[in-house]
Amino acid sequence: QRRVMGSLFGSVIAMADEDEREKQYAWEQTYKRTWDTLHEGAGGALVNVHLSDQRAKKQRLSSSANVAQTIRRGMIRFTVLVLDLSSTLHQTDLKPSRLVAVLNTATAFIKEYFDQNPISQLSIVITRNSVAERITELSGNPKHQIQKLKEFLRTGGEASLYNSLEVARRSLSMIPPYGNREILCIWSSLHTTDPENIMDAIQDVKKDNIRCSVIGLSAEVHICKHLATTTGGSFNVCLDEEHFKDLLLRHASPPPSQTRAPSSLIQMGFPNKKAFPCPTICVCHSDFRVGGYFCPRCRSKLCELPTECRVCGLTLISSPHLARSFHHLFPLAAFHEINESSNADHVVAKSTKSADSVPCYACLQIIDIKCSLCVECPRCLQKFCFDCDSFIHESLHNCPGCENGLFRLQNT
């Protein structure tokens, strides 16, 4: 009896330690049980699948799809990304270090930001040695933003939240009223070194209708949370690298608009790209280039789209950029998960002989519903795997089954 009680007590302690390890921060964990995520797929091969990670990403995709279409969203966003490059980035609680994690995650965010908001603009501000510096102007070129970020990625000293807000606010002060003004801070320090009262800077940001959101890498800092709460933004603290990436990518989709500005028409130009045998100077970089875009109003030459003409001030975009911006106004409905539903076996049994596997309608691969996420379109009732679900909601924004007319066929 003592042996049985001892074994039961040991198993209870092991289960408690397992639950505690799952709730710990990344720097508190001793090791990761990566072999627990290996499962045998439908073809007999080992597949590294973690249902909790897939459900977490699906929850992020569903949050934007479930928002009511009556909520106003800003299609044209002007965002300033503030990076804390103090000496605290050399800590290794995020693998391999905070500096590498910030670089990789910020690079992924810049690409996703311009993919989700093709007619928006982004600027990068860094703070180190108690000063703030703007390394890129507001522009729509992701390659230029990433290149400048890698060039100025040097750490040192302490961070200053006051100087960062002032530099970002000056960049957004001349934005027209139809644009959404946002500041996104990645904060690694536990304090801020400010030359003046930080509360005055927060009130100035709020007065200019600028939404400020903060993602902390260390712990919850009261002044950062107060900044986000006052300006209508969000404040979060990451637990590990994946959580940090998930928190940052949530800001890629446009948030609901805070201002109640009346709807107005905006003049835009759609220039065509032309190339000449001899290089000509551009008005954006004052450099000689062979090809470029020519403003339809003043015929000035520019290098990239979207942008604003430096001569006449006309907003210049391309028609594909404008078309890709409308999917936020009419989001694709979220697909239902059929793994844990009560009638999953009944639904799967109708379309396949095995209740444990079902073919994906998009990629035709067999989905093992015991170890991988399987979703279903609520309209055409077609099954999709997790990768195809992410591609449909992030890039395609259209259901292949509904586009093929299966929804109309089932109704008839």
Side-chain angles (χ1 to χ4, degrees):
Q1 185 177 2
R2 291 181 179 179
R3 292 180 179 179
V4 174
M5 293 297 295
S7 60
L8 291 176
F9 184 72
S11 61
V12 170
I13 293 179
M15 293 174 61
D17 293 341
E18 182 72 19
D19 296 339
E20 184 67 22
R21 182 171 62 251
E22 292 180 357
K23 298 179 182 179
Q24 288 177 341
Y25 290 93
W27 57 86
E28 298 176 340
Q29 298 178 5
T30 56
Y31 61 90
K32 294 183 178 180
R33 301 173 59 90
T34 56
W35 55 86
D36 289 342
T37 61
L38 293 178
H39 299 276
E40 184 176 357
L46 292 178
V47 182
N48 187 3
V49 177
H50 206 303
L51 284 177
S52 61
D53 296 338
Q54 291 184 351
R55 289 194 178 97
K57 184 175 181 181
K58 179 172 175 54
Q59 184 179 5
R60 178 175 62 85
L61 296 176
S62 302
S63 60
S64 59
N66 293 332
V67 175
Q69 297 183 2
T70 56
I71 295 180
R72 295 185 57 178
R73 292 179 178 269
M75 293 179 57
I76 304 179
R77 304 170 63 190
F78 297 89
T79 306
V80 177
L81 180 63
V82 178
L83 300 178
D84 176 8
L85 297 186
S86 60
S87 57
T88 57
L89 284 185
H90 292 292
Q91 299 184 14
T92 58
D93 47 5
L94 299 181
K95 303 301 180 183
S97 66
R98 288 188 185 179
L99 182 62
V100 178
V102 168
L103 175 61
N104 297 336
T105 310
T107 301
F109 169 75
I110 293 174
K111 296 179 180 178
E112 185 70 16
Y113 177 84
F114 286 106
D115 183 70
Q116 298 287 337
N117 313 271
I119 61 177
S120 300
Q121 297 185 17
L122 179 73
S123 176
I124 301 178
V125 173
I126 61 174
T127 172
R128 59 191 175 196
N129 298 323
S130 302
V131 297
E133 179 184 2
R134 183 177 58 218
I135 62 176
T136 59
E137 300 287 342
L138 286 169
S139 64
N141 189 351
K143 295 182 180 179
H144 174 69
Q145 304 280 352
I146 296 174
Q147 180 183 358
K148 287 296 183 180
L149 175 61
K150 295 180 180 179
E151 291 179 2
F152 287 86
L153 199 67
R154 298 184 300 273
T155 62
E158 298 178 348
S160 176
L161 183 61
Y162 179 90
N163 294 331
S164 302
L165 293 180
E166 287 297 316
V167 174
R169 189 175 65 87
R170 287 196 295 266
S171 301
L172 300 174
S173 59
M174 302 303 295
I175 298 302
Y178 59 79
N180 274 24
R181 309 176 187 183
E182 303 174 29
I183 297 177
L184 177 58
C185 300
I186 300 178
W187 203 253
S188 176
S189 304
L190 292 176
H191 62 279
T192 172
T193 305
D194 302 323
E196 298 182 18
N197 189 2
I198 184 62
M199 295 299 177
D200 297 338
I202 295 178
Q203 292 301 323
D204 293 339
V205 169
K206 180 182 178 182
K207 190 181 302 181
D208 293 342
N209 295 324
I210 301 177
R211 181 200 305 266
C212 299
S213 300
V214 184
I215 299 177
L217 303 182
S218 299
E220 180 177 315
V221 182
H222 173 71
I223 192 62
C224 295
K225 186 175 183 180
H226 176 70
L227 170 65
T229 305
T230 305
T231 58
S234 61
F235 176 79
N236 301 97
V237 179
C238 68
L239 302 178
D240 49 24
E241 304 86 23
E242 292 297 328
H243 189 219
F244 174 42
K245 184 177 181 180
D246 180 69
L247 291 176
L248 189 58
L249 291 182
R250 290 180 185 179
H251 297 275
S253 301
S257 180
Q258 294 186 124
T259 60
R260 296 184 177 273
S263 302
S264 59
L265 298 178
I266 304 174
Q267 288 188 352
M268 293 185 177
F270 299 88
N272 296 323
K273 189 173 183 180
K274 297 181 181 180
F276 294 95
C278 57
T280 55
I281 192 171
C282 65
V283 298
C284 49
H285 300 93
S286 299
D287 193 9
F288 285 92
R289 301 177 185 270
V290 177
Y293 300 91
F294 291 86
C295 177
R297 177 184 291 175
C298 63
R299 305 302 300 171
S300 300
K301 179 182 175 182
L302 301 101
C303 300
E304 60 188 25
L305 294 178
T307 186
E308 184 176 329
C309 182
R310 299 293 182 89
V311 178
C312 63
L314 181 65
T315 302
L316 303 177
I317 63 173
S318 63
S319 54
H321 289 161
L322 185 61
R324 286 167 50 194
S325 302
F326 276 95
H327 69 266
H328 294 296
L329 303 179
F330 309 98
L332 181 64
F335 292 170
H336 302 317
E337 180 184 352
I338 65 173
N339 297 68
E340 300 296 335
S341 59
S342 58
N343 59 345
D345 297 337
H346 176 69
V347 173
V348 174
K350 287 184 177 180
S351 57
T352 181
K353 296 180 180 180
S354 176
D356 297 334
S357 61
V358 57
C360 175
Y361 179 78
C363 64
L364 302 181
Q365 292 186 357
I366 302 300
I367 309 172
D368 189 356
I369 65 174
K370 289 185 177 180
C371 61
S372 183
L373 197 65
C374 181
V375 295
E376 179 185 67
C377 176
R379 298 186 63 193
C380 62
L381 304 181
Q382 296 299 321
K383 314 298 185 300
F384 297 93
C385 63
F386 173 74
D387 295 331
C388 292
D389 178 34
S390 302
F391 176 73
I392 289 172
H393 284 86
E394 291 181 347
S395 301
L396 194 60
H397 304 292
N398 289 285
C399 176
C402 298
E403 293 297 324
N404 287 338
L406 297 180
F407 172 66
R408 294 189 296 270
L409 291 177
Q410 290 186 2
N411 288 340
T412 56

